Amino acid sequence: MPHRPYIVGNWKMNGLRAAMSEARSIDRGAQRHPGVRVGIAPPFTLVHAMAETGQNLFVGGQDCHAQPSGAFTGEVSAPMLKDAGAVFVIVGHSERRAMHGESDAMVQAKADAAIAAGLDVIVCVGETEAERDAGRAEAVVDAQLEGSLPRGEGDAARVTVAYEPVWAIGTGRVPSVDDVAAMHAAIRAHLLAIYGDGGAAVRILYGGSVNAGNANELLAVAEVGGALVGGASLTADSFLQIVAAAGPAED
Ligand code: PEP
């Protein structure tokens, strides 16, 4: 594993201000696991509050616009996220690709904008169930990487890839460890092809129904550098069990 493991919670469209108590508990818990990098991407409305409160948390956005400002009603730009205290942003989540028609080119433009604003980016890729059944999982992910990853000088140091099979998100189903290992190896090869030596240090997270019960097994797979966690990141209790699976507590 090139760095300390990275466990990131994606709160999606969940979390009113009352949920800040969970964030504070996660922050306190993260302090006990200094060997683990812990991030949360709350809804935009909580980014600033969480960034102000968190001492041991990396706070990020779940998406950003490709333009820094302008007439884009309802959108949030990368500089705005940075200004609110975010240090990273997720781009290309499958829910955005599917529900908002985001193409690889759009995801790449967002990643470029995020890096230009000084944010790190988590670029999500992953195949649908039909694509896996058709034996096309690696080809699909390969094409997504090719089209979505930022290509600027030094960008490799700002990028994390999240492999999230669409059929595993929110379903309780996870791929076999062999399938995770094969896909992560393929992603690593692609990263090396794009970034050269810089591709060796890019973290590759697994995402899709990670929970306290399966985290140990998934995090032990070769080339799995952490996890992107949806549902199980919403409470400190379940999220911290995943953090604990990634690295021991130090008192
Ligand atoms: C996600 O949406 O990024 C995700 C991994 O969700 P879940 O953990 O709920 O499957």
Side-chain angles (χ1 to χ4, degrees):
M1 214 176 273
H3 304 285
R4 60 185 177 147
Y6 191 18
I7 306 297
V8 184
N10 172 14
W11 279 18
K12 310 193 186 193
M13 198 173 72
N14 297 292
L16 302 177
R17 280 187 300 161
M20 283 299 298
S21 63
E22 291 299 326
R24 282 190 288 273
S25 299
I26 291 169
D27 186 47
R28 280 193 299 275
Q31 189 175 21
R32 300 186 58 230
H33 298 272
V36 184
R37 181 180 166 109
V38 180
I40 298 185
F44 291 134
T45 47
L46 294 182
V47 166
H48 186 246
M50 208 176 280
E52 292 276 289
T53 309
Q55 305 287 311
N56 311 288
L57 284 181
F58 292 83
V59 177
Q62 299 171 13
D63 180 44
C64 66
H65 198 272
Q67 295 297 322
S69 61
F72 302 104
T73 302
E75 299 286 346
V76 171
S77 73
M80 289 170 176
L81 278 173
K82 174 87 174 167
D83 187 52
V87 295
F88 74 91
V89 62
I90 298 169
V91 294
H93 190 281
S94 62
E95 286 157 11
R96 302 236 24 122
R97 289 179 185 264
M99 297 176 200
H100 299 268
E102 291 191 6
S103 65
D104 290 332
M106 290 165 72
V107 174
Q108 187 180 52
K110 290 175 179 218
D112 287 340
I115 289 173
L119 298 171
D120 290 341
V121 284
I122 298 178
V123 179
C124 299
V125 294
E127 81 286 356
T128 63
E129 185 159 33
E131 289 162 345
R132 176 157 286 273
D133 289 348
R136 297 183 50 236
E138 282 187 22
V140 166
V141 167
D142 230 43
Q144 290 175 332
L145 291 169
E146 193 61 24
S148 307
L149 286 172
R151 302 302 180 98
E153 181 79 28
D155 282 0
R158 314 303 298 266
V159 170
T160 295
V161 172
Y163 168 55
E164 300 205 301
V166 177
W167 52 272
I169 292 179
T171 61
R173 297 166 57 204
V174 292
S176 70
V177 291
D178 287 349
D179 285 346
V180 173
M183 186 61 85
H184 279 237
I187 293 170
R188 177 68 67 206
H190 201 121
L191 289 168
L192 290 169
I194 291 179
Y195 294 125
D197 290 348
V202 173
R203 282 192 186 84
I204 309 170
L205 312 183
Y206 169 77
S209 295
V210 177
N211 58 41
N214 61 24
N216 268 310
E217 186 177 43
L218 288 164
L219 291 169
V221 175
E223 296 289 7
V224 172
L228 183 54
V229 185
S233 71
L234 293 173
T235 64
D237 183 41
S238 56
F239 191 53
L240 289 172
Q241 290 184 59
I242 298 168
V243 171
E250 289 178 21
D251 288 310

